[in-house]
Amino acid sequence: MSLALIALVFCNLSQAQTLSQETQREESATPQKAAWGDLGNGTFKNPFLLADYNNLDVIRVGQDFYMISAAHHFMGMPVLHSRDMINWRLIARISRELKIHERYDTPGQAYQHGTWAPAIRFHAGKFFVYVCTPQEGLLLSTATNPAGPWSPWTLVRNEKNWEDPCPLWDDVKDAGGDGPDGRQAYLIRSRLGAGPLIVHKMSWDGTKVAGEGKIVARGPVLEGPKNGEYYIFAPEGGIDKGYQVVLRSRSIWGPYEKRRTLEQGSTNINGPHQGSWIDLDSGESWFYHFQQHMAWGRIGHLQPAGWDENGWPWMGKDHDGNGIGEPVSLSPKPNVGKAFPVLLPQSSDEFASDSLGLQWLWNHNPDDSFWSLKERPGWLRLKAKPISSRPGIAGVRNLQIPFVEDSIHFAYNTLVQLAMGKECSATVKMDASQMTEGQRAGATLFGKNYGWIGLVKENGKLMIRANIKGKYFNGPELQGDTVYLKLSIAAPSNPCFYFSIDGSTFQRLGDDYSVGRDWFEGIKFGLFTYRLSQASAAGHVDFDYFRYKSDGRRSEGQ
């Protein structure tokens, strides 16, 4: 029996599709300095990515690294690529829609549902992504090229209350499986509410999961397993105050020993857990995990790691000598044999393409007849649709969201992207010449506690307005058709909204309010338009650009 970690994926470059075009873009990009992430001097500062790529999972395939994360009720799941483990670019979205239940068609009906913590693996020349939705069950998407196309989500197992799946294609021969030489595949998962951990037999092609499985581990809030042969990496103790544990056994079915390997300790990194183990050709090992960080959501950290003399993994640095690692803030970058430029996932958009940028997410399944990048080339057109008048539901406990007539929570085709950077802002230019009576349009910081700034057409006039959690702040009448809007975040209690007539001088509108990570997602920047529920669908707005700045970008044009 091999004792290598089965959470890792190794292969020669010839075994996997490469991303030559993406690599060329990375290698030719202008280096930049950053307040977090790559510092440009051979070191990085955690978080390596200050954005809500939550419940992240990372694999290595040859000399390339791929990361995915949960998307929940937003469409769809991101796929990112890196050459050095620190600098990442979006290369794909797995499905812009969830056609597994009608709840995903209507805003307000699926908050906190959708795709939870996923796992990505490379097996037999193909990439596999598994994820559970709390109500529909186990989903699978595959691709031969991680940049896509990815297959539509397939429902592998129609089971409620599953979460956090992770596959294993074992290398043990004559195990009674349907793989080569009798090899057996497995799937490990948790149960809604966190724990216990359960192992199932799985078909070698990854499309069938058998039986009820066997419980192999229990623990307080034990979830998010990433398995090894036979090691299971899993978080325990809850998101805010939890820690990372590793379980070890000589049999996939147990019994397992358990050891705590990473905890907050004396650091300010709360809940360091749930991630991915990576070994490099240089002999280094690294561990990815997340930290739940206020309004920004679950942000990514990377820890130096390795193996002790007894075959147990270690992570971070053991500051107090208790045998348990704690997160590090600064570290030399992983030794991947070559230096690569500083990069961040895409954010700004001039809307110059006829396809939607990978940074953008729809709040639910989009209605493609209500938006366009082709009707006015160089602009994003959003068409007003009446908001859904159905009361909403959030989470598996069916938390009721009362219907509110002018709430963006019920607006169709709201287009958002992750807040990135602790201090960040976005500036938008909007043409409102085709707005109709009663229409709203503008830019939003979207979440359970939301705010937006934009225009409302009332009595034939275009009025500048901010709406913060249903409270209105009225600005002047717009003379003309063009307005510039700005959103900024510098602290969870200080989202700010601004407008400008000339694009140079901005005036603030609206009060301070607090935002947080809610509905399982961090705050998001977005664009929107809608009409009230009893209105007819009419009117549109055009956005010329969305220009983003953060403390993670320092070079011109970034």
Side-chain angles (χ1 to χ4, degrees), residues 264-437:
Q264 178 174 351
S266 60
T267 75
N268 62 358
I269 308 303
N270 58 290
H273 58 198
Q274 191 160 324
S276 305
W277 184 279
I278 302 291
D279 283 334
L280 300 178
D281 290 341
S282 61
E284 295 179 352
S285 296
W286 295 84
F287 182 72
Y288 284 99
H289 68 92
F290 68 72
Q291 171 201 15
Q292 185 153 297
H293 187 64
M294 300 183 290
W296 290 266
R298 296 176 179 179
I299 58 179
H301 290 245
L302 182 61
Q303 302 300 327
W307 296 91
D308 67 19
E309 64 277 8
N310 297 314
W312 285 97
W314 57 264
M315 306 163 183
K317 186 174 181 180
D318 183 6
H319 295 290
D320 57 11
N322 69 347
I324 303 170
E326 299 173 19
V328 302
S329 295
L330 293 169
S331 174
K333 291 173 60 178
N335 179 8
V336 296
K338 186 178 179 180
F340 291 92
V342 176
L343 288 173
L344 291 175
Q346 299 90 314
S347 55
S348 294
D349 201 335
E350 298 294 318
F351 303 118
S353 173
D354 61 2
S355 58
L356 194 62
L358 293 172
Q359 62 268 48
W360 294 107
L361 296 143
W362 296 108
N363 66 333
H364 288 88
N365 289 335
D367 183 338
D368 290 335
S369 65
F370 277 80
W371 70 277
S372 175
L373 286 161
K374 297 179 181 180
E375 293 181 12
R376 185 180 181 182
W379 297 69
L380 168 68
R381 176 162 293 176
L382 294 181
K383 304 175 185 181
K385 188 174 183 177
I387 63 175
S388 168
S389 59
R390 295 170 59 187
I393 298 171
V396 296
R397 295 180 178 85
N398 294 325
L399 174 68
Q400 297 299 303
I401 307 172
F403 172 69
V404 177
E405 179 60 73
D406 199 10
S407 170
I408 197 173
H409 290 157
F410 300 93
Y412 289 88
N413 278 20
T414 302
L415 193 60
V416 301
Q417 63 173 271
L418 307 186
M420 181 167 57
K422 196 161 188 178
E423 296 184 7
C424 47
S425 66
T427 305
V428 172
K429 179 182 177 182
M430 186 175 76
D431 178 350
S433 59
Q434 300 303 308
M435 286 183 68
T436 58
E437 188 71 16

Side-chain angles (χ1 to χ4, degrees), residues 6-9 55-61 65-69 77-81 88 91 94 117-123 126-131 140-143 145-147 150 153 165-169 225-227 275-276 278:
I6 59 174
L8 308 182
V9 177
N55 298 281
L56 56 83
D57 193 30
V58 182
I59 59 169
R60 171 191 163 200
V61 181
F65 304 89
Y66 302 101
M67 178 168 67
I68 60 172
S69 75
M77 184 178 292
V79 183
L80 297 94
H81 171 249
W88 294 87
I91 59 170
I94 301 177
I120 182 171
R121 294 294 181 267
F122 183 77
H123 167 70
K126 186 186 293 186
F127 291 84
F128 291 73
V129 169
Y130 290 88
V131 69
L140 168 65
S141 180
T142 63
N145 186 334
W150 286 83
W153 290 115
C166 188
L168 159 65
W169 286 269
K226 305 298 182 198
N227 27 354
S276 305
I278 302 291

Side-chain angles (χ1 to χ4, degrees), residues 122-333:
F122 183 77
H123 167 70
K126 186 186 293 186
F127 291 84
F128 291 73
V129 169
Y130 290 88
V131 69
C132 289
T133 69
Q135 295 297 313
E136 292 81 26
L138 176 67
L139 303 180
L140 168 65
S141 180
T142 63
T144 55
N145 186 334
W150 286 83
S151 67
W153 290 115
T154 298
L155 187 60
V156 175
R157 185 75 178 260
N158 184 4
E159 293 277 357
K160 292 185 178 181
N161 301 327
W162 283 22
E163 66 176 18
D164 303 350
C166 188
L168 159 65
W169 286 269
D170 205 350
D171 62 359
V172 177
K173 297 180 181 180
D174 301 320
D178 62 341
D181 300 316
R183 290 179 172 88
Q184 178 67 58
Y186 302 92
L187 184 97
I188 187 169
R189 51 95 180 178
S190 187
R191 184 179 292 160
L192 195 68
L197 302 185
I198 301 168
V199 173
H200 296 259
K201 288 185 177 181
M202 184 175 72
S203 63
W204 197 253
D205 66 3
T207 64
K208 299 179 182 65
V209 175
E212 297 304 311
K214 179 183 178 182
I215 294 174
V216 297
R218 297 181 183 273
V221 197
L222 183 59
E223 57 185 344
K226 305 298 182 198
N227 27 354
E229 192 183 14
Y230 294 104
Y231 293 80
I232 300 174
F233 289 63
E236 195 173 73
I239 300 302
D240 291 299
K241 298 181 180 180
Y243 43 88
Q244 178 69 26
V245 300
V246 174
L247 301 96
R248 183 174 71 174
S249 175
R250 291 188 174 276
S251 167
I252 187 71
W253 304 108
Y256 283 86
E257 305 173 79
K258 184 168 66 175
R259 179 172 295 189
R260 189 181 299 196
T261 54
L262 187 69
E263 63 183 7
Q264 178 174 351
S266 60
T267 75
N268 62 358
I269 308 303
N270 58 290
H273 58 198
Q274 191 160 324
S276 305
W277 184 279
I278 302 291
D279 283 334
L280 300 178
D281 290 341
S282 61
E284 295 179 352
S285 296
W286 295 84
F287 182 72
Y288 284 99
H289 68 92
F290 68 72
Q291 171 201 15
Q292 185 153 297
H293 187 64
M294 300 183 290
W296 290 266
R298 296 176 179 179
I299 58 179
H301 290 245
L302 182 61
Q303 302 300 327
W307 296 91
D308 67 19
E309 64 277 8
N310 297 314
W312 285 97
W314 57 264
M315 306 163 183
K317 186 174 181 180
D318 183 6
H319 295 290
D320 57 11
N322 69 347
I324 303 170
E326 299 173 19
V328 302
S329 295
L330 293 169
S331 174
K333 291 173 60 178

